[in-house]
Amino acid sequence: MAGHSKWSNIKHRKGAQDKKRGKLFMKLAREIFMAAKQGGGDPDTNPPLRIAVDKARSNNMPNDNVDRAIKKATGDLDGVNYEEYTYEGYGPGGVAVMVKVLTDNKNRTAADVRHAFNKNEGNLGENGCVAFMFNRSGYLVIDRPSMEADEESVMLEAIEAGAEEMETTAERFEIYTEPESFSDVKASLETSGYEFVTSEVTMIPETYTELDEEGVEKMLKLIDMLEDNDDVQEVYHNLDADESILEKLA
């Protein structure tokens, strides 16, 4: 799983820009809604819901919003019915892209996603055309400057907690887990006093597609357009972009 810094650098660059709180809270509420609908409204017995709630709270989503999303899913409040879909395709330069959506209107969302690909020199493909390039993984990020612990100590505790791997950059400790053990690893490290700036189960690419500055700019426009769609929950991709190019374009 080595080499994920290519992916995480772009992910954190995007995360720093995704602070439109109303839009973000709406996406988080839909994620909570789906998890509660599929597995019940108790986070203690529904791990996907617990992950979704933790993600919402890490983004400072009010508890009232969290409770409302759960109640809508369990029938205690009236609300629209969302369905989950994943679209796959290729961005500029052949970058693999997966788009996870929650929508109450599949036709509208499919048309919007296709439009985003077409407008940004991409192509929407068939289901399965790029999914094999990604692995589902738990992902935990600790802000390194805020920690007094050294790399070896964090790594040992992460491994003892059940993590698969840890990578270190100047800014972050990045911990990877099996999806099934994500909640246990996170809980164990939290008990040890660690706090996370990111904690989620996500899709990580096995290989990467490198683009020049022009290609990176086009690909980031596609990501922006997709993420600006209210129905889009997550955009996964395998873009490899040089840090200097990302800083320039930012």
Side-chain angles (χ1 to χ4, degrees):
M1 292 178 65
H4 290 151
S5 57
K6 298 176 181 178
W7 166 81
S8 60
N9 283 345
I10 298 168
K11 180 177 180 60
H12 285 280
R13 177 257 183 203
K14 294 299 299 171
Q17 296 180 351
D18 190 16
K19 296 302 180 185
K20 301 174 183 177
R21 298 182 67 83
K23 185 179 293 290
L24 176 61
F25 287 169
M26 182 173 63
K27 291 176 184 282
L28 292 169
R30 289 189 183 186
E31 191 169 336
I32 291 169
F33 176 94
M34 284 300 297
K37 180 182 177 183
Q38 294 172 356
D42 185 355
D44 291 334
T45 58
N46 182 352
L49 177 59
R50 184 166 64 249
I51 292 171
V53 170
D54 286 347
K55 182 178 177 181
R57 287 175 175 160
S58 70
N59 283 281
N60 299 314
M61 184 173 174
N63 287 332
D64 286 348
N65 296 40
V66 173
D67 293 340
R68 191 179 304 115
I70 293 174
K71 288 178 179 178
K72 283 184 178 180
T74 56
D76 293 331
L77 291 175
D78 292 332
V80 296
N81 185 36
Y82 294 110
E83 299 293 338
E84 184 176 58
Y85 302 96
T86 300
Y87 298 97
E88 302 177 36
Y90 294 92
V95 173
V97 183
M98 296 180 66
V99 185
K100 176 184 172 183
V101 307
L102 288 176
T103 179
D104 59 347
N105 187 326
K106 181 182 179 182
N107 292 335
R108 177 197 67 217
T109 304
D112 288 346
V113 171
R114 185 178 299 278
H115 174 67
F117 274 87
N118 291 342
K119 186 173 182 178
N120 293 281
E121 300 185 17
N123 294 286
L124 192 61
E126 299 294 329
N127 287 343
C129 68
V130 301
F132 67 94
M133 301 181 188
F134 295 81
N135 289 315
R136 191 164 177 265
S137 175
Y139 179 62
L140 299 161
V141 180
I142 299 170
D143 183 25
R144 190 174 183 183
S146 68
M147 296 297 301
E148 296 182 1
D150 58 28
E151 178 180 1
E152 183 176 357
S153 298
V154 177
M155 181 176 291
L156 286 174
E157 289 199 65
I159 292 173
E160 289 177 359
E164 279 193 302
E165 183 181 349
M166 188 181 86
E167 293 185 0
T168 303
T169 70
E171 298 83 19
R172 303 184 293 272
F173 295 118
E174 300 176 355
I175 299 167
Y176 301 88
T177 78
E178 291 285 353
E180 297 75 16
S181 60
F182 169 79
S183 294
D184 291 339
V185 173
K186 181 174 184 286
S188 178
L189 292 174
E190 283 177 331
T191 300
S192 297
Y194 293 105
E195 297 181 356
F196 306 104
V197 294
T198 299
S199 59
E200 61 185 350
V201 176
T202 187
M203 301 294 289
I204 299 177
E206 291 185 343
T207 59
Y208 295 83
T209 299
E210 185 175 0
L211 299 180
D212 60 15
E213 181 176 332
E214 182 181 358
V216 171
E217 184 173 15
K218 292 177 180 177
M219 183 61 202
L220 293 180
K221 287 181 178 178
L222 171 59
I223 296 172
D224 284 337
M225 189 170 180
L226 288 168
E227 290 186 339
D228 197 47
N229 187 307
D230 291 342
D231 296 332
V232 172
Q233 294 294 113
E234 298 286 351
V235 179
Y236 309 112
H237 58 81
N238 72 338
L239 171 64
D240 179 4
D242 187 89
E243 187 68 27
S244 62
I245 293 177
L246 290 174
E247 290 177 358
K248 181 179 179 180
L249 294 176

mmCIF file of all heavy atoms in Angstrom, residues 221-239:
data_model
loop_
_atom_site.group_PDB
_atom_site.id
_atom_site.type_symbol
_atom_site.label_atom_id
_atom_site.label_comp_id
_atom_site.label_asym_id
_atom_site.label_seq_id
_atom_site.Cartn_x
_atom_site.Cartn_y
_atom_site.Cartn_z
ATOM 1 N N LYS A 221 -10.561 20.560 -12.303
ATOM 2 C CA LYS A 221 -11.831 21.177 -12.679
ATOM 3 C C LYS A 221 -12.951 20.140 -12.700
ATOM 4 O O LYS A 221 -14.083 20.428 -12.301
ATOM 5 C CB LYS A 221 -11.697 21.862 -14.044
ATOM 6 C CG LYS A 221 -10.892 23.159 -14.012
ATOM 7 C CD LYS A 221 -10.818 23.793 -15.395
ATOM 8 C CE LYS A 221 -10.043 25.111 -15.348
ATOM 9 N NZ LYS A 221 -9.922 25.722 -16.698
ATOM 10 N N LEU A 222 -12.629 18.929 -13.183
ATOM 11 C CA LEU A 222 -13.624 17.856 -13.165
ATOM 12 C C LEU A 222 -14.005 17.505 -11.732
ATOM 13 O O LEU A 222 -15.202 17.374 -11.408
ATOM 14 C CB LEU A 222 -13.086 16.617 -13.886
ATOM 15 C CG LEU A 222 -13.935 15.346 -13.761
ATOM 16 C CD1 LEU A 222 -15.340 15.567 -14.307
ATOM 17 C CD2 LEU A 222 -13.246 14.172 -14.481
ATOM 18 N N ILE A 223 -13.007 17.363 -10.865
ATOM 19 C CA ILE A 223 -13.283 17.048 -9.459
ATOM 20 C C ILE A 223 -14.146 18.142 -8.827
ATOM 21 O O ILE A 223 -15.128 17.865 -8.137
ATOM 22 C CB ILE A 223 -11.968 16.878 -8.671
ATOM 23 C CG1 ILE A 223 -11.175 15.680 -9.193
ATOM 24 C CG2 ILE A 223 -12.261 16.695 -7.178
ATOM 25 C CD1 ILE A 223 -9.782 15.557 -8.601
ATOM 26 N N ASP A 224 -13.783 19.404 -9.077
ATOM 27 C CA ASP A 224 -14.551 20.520 -8.517
ATOM 28 C C ASP A 224 -16.003 20.480 -8.973
ATOM 29 O O ASP A 224 -16.926 20.680 -8.177
ATOM 30 C CB ASP A 224 -13.924 21.854 -8.937
ATOM 31 C CG ASP A 224 -12.670 22.184 -8.152
ATOM 32 O OD1 ASP A 224 -12.514 21.656 -7.035
ATOM 33 O OD2 ASP A 224 -11.847 22.969 -8.655
ATOM 34 N N MET A 225 -16.206 20.219 -10.257
ATOM 35 C CA MET A 225 -17.568 20.222 -10.797
ATOM 36 C C MET A 225 -18.388 19.079 -10.215
ATOM 37 O O MET A 225 -19.569 19.248 -9.877
ATOM 38 C CB MET A 225 -17.525 20.118 -12.319
ATOM 39 C CG MET A 225 -18.875 20.331 -12.992
ATOM 40 S SD MET A 225 -18.717 20.498 -14.790
ATOM 41 C CE MET A 225 -20.446 20.722 -15.242
ATOM 42 N N LEU A 226 -17.778 17.924 -10.068
ATOM 43 C CA LEU A 226 -18.477 16.793 -9.475
ATOM 44 C C LEU A 226 -18.795 17.056 -8.003
ATOM 45 O O LEU A 226 -19.924 16.834 -7.547
ATOM 46 C CB LEU A 226 -17.644 15.522 -9.616
ATOM 47 C CG LEU A 226 -17.533 14.938 -11.023
ATOM 48 C CD1 LEU A 226 -16.455 13.858 -11.074
ATOM 49 C CD2 LEU A 226 -18.875 14.363 -11.484
ATOM 50 N N GLU A 227 -17.818 17.544 -7.243
ATOM 51 C CA GLU A 227 -18.018 17.755 -5.815
ATOM 52 C C GLU A 227 -18.993 18.889 -5.536
ATOM 53 O O GLU A 227 -19.583 18.956 -4.455
ATOM 54 C CB GLU A 227 -16.673 18.026 -5.129
ATOM 55 C CG GLU A 227 -15.773 16.801 -5.076
ATOM 56 C CD GLU A 227 -14.516 17.032 -4.271
ATOM 57 O OE1 GLU A 227 -14.139 18.211 -4.080
ATOM 58 O OE2 GLU A 227 -13.896 16.041 -3.840
ATOM 59 N N ASP A 228 -19.182 19.777 -6.497
ATOM 60 C CA ASP A 228 -20.125 20.880 -6.318
ATOM 61 C C ASP A 228 -21.567 20.419 -6.489
ATOM 62 O O ASP A 228 -22.503 21.149 -6.157
ATOM 63 C CB ASP A 228 -19.811 21.999 -7.318
ATOM 64 C CG ASP A 228 -20.462 23.314 -6.917
ATOM 65 O OD1 ASP A 228 -20.360 23.696 -5.736
ATOM 66 O OD2 ASP A 228 -21.094 23.950 -7.776
ATOM 67 N N ASN A 229 -21.750 19.201 -6.999
ATOM 68 C CA ASN A 229 -23.088 18.640 -7.174
ATOM 69 C C ASN A 229 -23.598 18.138 -5.820
ATOM 70 O O ASN A 229 -22.934 17.359 -5.145
ATOM 71 C CB ASN A 229 -23.040 17.490 -8.183
ATOM 72 C CG ASN A 229 -24.412 16.974 -8.551
ATOM 73 O OD1 ASN A 229 -25.225 16.634 -7.695
ATOM 74 N ND2 ASN A 229 -24.675 16.899 -9.846
ATOM 75 N N ASP A 230 -24.780 18.587 -5.431
ATOM 76 C CA ASP A 230 -25.327 18.229 -4.119
ATOM 77 C C ASP A 230 -25.499 16.722 -3.946
ATOM 78 O O ASP A 230 -25.473 16.216 -2.815
ATOM 79 C CB ASP A 230 -26.669 18.919 -3.901
ATOM 80 C CG ASP A 230 -26.530 20.425 -3.730
ATOM 81 O OD1 ASP A 230 -25.405 20.880 -3.445
ATOM 82 O OD2 ASP A 230 -27.534 21.133 -3.875
ATOM 83 N N ASP A 231 -25.709 15.994 -5.033
ATOM 84 C CA ASP A 231 -25.948 14.559 -4.944
ATOM 85 C C ASP A 231 -24.662 13.749 -4.787
ATOM 86 O O ASP A 231 -24.708 12.575 -4.425
ATOM 87 C CB ASP A 231 -26.688 14.057 -6.191
ATOM 88 C CG ASP A 231 -28.078 14.662 -6.316
ATOM 89 O OD1 ASP A 231 -28.672 15.002 -5.278
ATOM 90 O OD2 ASP A 231 -28.557 14.797 -7.456
ATOM 91 N N VAL A 232 -23.525 14.348 -5.095
ATOM 92 C CA VAL A 232 -22.243 13.629 -5.057
ATOM 93 C C VAL A 232 -21.702 13.620 -3.634
ATOM 94 O O VAL A 232 -21.503 14.667 -3.020
ATOM 95 C CB VAL A 232 -21.227 14.268 -6.022
ATOM 96 C CG1 VAL A 232 -19.845 13.643 -5.834
ATOM 97 C CG2 VAL A 232 -21.697 14.098 -7.466
ATOM 98 N N GLN A 233 -21.448 12.421 -3.124
ATOM 99 C CA GLN A 233 -20.897 12.264 -1.783
ATOM 100 C C GLN A 233 -19.375 12.214 -1.779
ATOM 101 O O GLN A 233 -18.722 12.831 -0.948
ATOM 102 C CB GLN A 233 -21.440 10.982 -1.140
ATOM 103 C CG GLN A 233 -22.927 11.001 -0.868
ATOM 104 C CD GLN A 233 -23.305 12.033 0.175
ATOM 105 O OE1 GLN A 233 -23.982 13.011 -0.137
ATOM 106 N NE2 GLN A 233 -22.886 11.847 1.399
ATOM 107 N N GLU A 234 -18.817 11.431 -2.703
ATOM 108 C CA GLU A 234 -17.372 11.251 -2.747
ATOM 109 C C GLU A 234 -16.903 11.135 -4.195
ATOM 110 O O GLU A 234 -17.619 10.585 -5.046
ATOM 111 C CB GLU A 234 -16.947 9.982 -1.995
ATOM 112 C CG GLU A 234 -17.269 9.968 -0.514
ATOM 113 C CD GLU A 234 -16.364 10.863 0.310
ATOM 114 O OE1 GLU A 234 -15.350 11.377 -0.240
ATOM 115 O OE2 GLU A 234 -16.663 11.062 1.502
ATOM 116 N N VAL A 235 -15.712 11.631 -4.459
ATOM 117 C CA VAL A 235 -15.055 11.443 -5.750
ATOM 118 C C VAL A 235 -13.702 10.785 -5.481
ATOM 119 O O VAL A 235 -12.857 11.335 -4.776
ATOM 120 C CB VAL A 235 -14.843 12.780 -6.492
ATOM 121 C CG1 VAL A 235 -14.127 12.539 -7.823
ATOM 122 C CG2 VAL A 235 -16.173 13.484 -6.725
ATOM 123 N N TYR A 236 -13.511 9.583 -6.017
ATOM 124 C CA TYR A 236 -12.254 8.858 -5.871
ATOM 125 C C TYR A 236 -11.534 8.867 -7.217
ATOM 126 O O TYR A 236 -12.167 8.756 -8.273
ATOM 127 C CB TYR A 236 -12.500 7.407 -5.454
ATOM 128 C CG TYR A 236 -13.396 7.241 -4.252
ATOM 129 C CD1 TYR A 236 -14.666 6.670 -4.372
ATOM 130 C CD2 TYR A 236 -12.985 7.654 -2.993
ATOM 131 C CE1 TYR A 236 -15.498 6.505 -3.268
ATOM 132 C CE2 TYR A 236 -13.813 7.500 -1.875
ATOM 133 C CZ TYR A 236 -15.060 6.918 -2.022
ATOM 134 O OH TYR A 236 -15.869 6.771 -0.932
ATOM 135 N N HIS A 237 -10.216 8.989 -7.204
ATOM 136 C CA HIS A 237 -9.465 9.042 -8.461
ATOM 137 C C HIS A 237 -8.029 8.575 -8.220
ATOM 138 O O HIS A 237 -7.595 8.402 -7.075
ATOM 139 C CB HIS A 237 -9.456 10.472 -9.005
ATOM 140 C CG HIS A 237 -8.858 11.463 -8.048
ATOM 141 N ND1 HIS A 237 -7.500 11.647 -7.910
ATOM 142 C CD2 HIS A 237 -9.446 12.299 -7.153
ATOM 143 C CE1 HIS A 237 -7.269 12.565 -6.984
ATOM 144 N NE2 HIS A 237 -8.449 12.961 -6.500
ATOM 145 N N ASN A 238 -7.286 8.381 -9.307
ATOM 146 C CA ASN A 238 -5.890 7.943 -9.166
ATOM 147 C C ASN A 238 -4.926 8.933 -9.808
ATOM 148 O O ASN A 238 -3.914 8.547 -10.387
ATOM 149 C CB ASN A 238 -5.700 6.535 -9.742
ATOM 150 C CG ASN A 238 -5.763 6.492 -11.261
ATOM 151 O OD1 ASN A 238 -6.335 7.379 -11.893
ATOM 152 N ND2 ASN A 238 -5.177 5.461 -11.850
ATOM 153 N N LEU A 239 -5.243 10.210 -9.707
ATOM 154 C CA LEU A 239 -4.368 11.245 -10.241
ATOM 155 C C LEU A 239 -3.072 11.330 -9.446
ATOM 156 O O LEU A 239 -3.082 11.349 -8.212
ATOM 157 C CB LEU A 239 -5.080 12.606 -10.192
ATOM 158 C CG LEU A 239 -4.224 13.834 -10.527
ATOM 159 C CD1 LEU A 239 -3.733 13.777 -11.970
ATOM 160 C CD2 LEU A 239 -5.014 15.114 -10.266
#
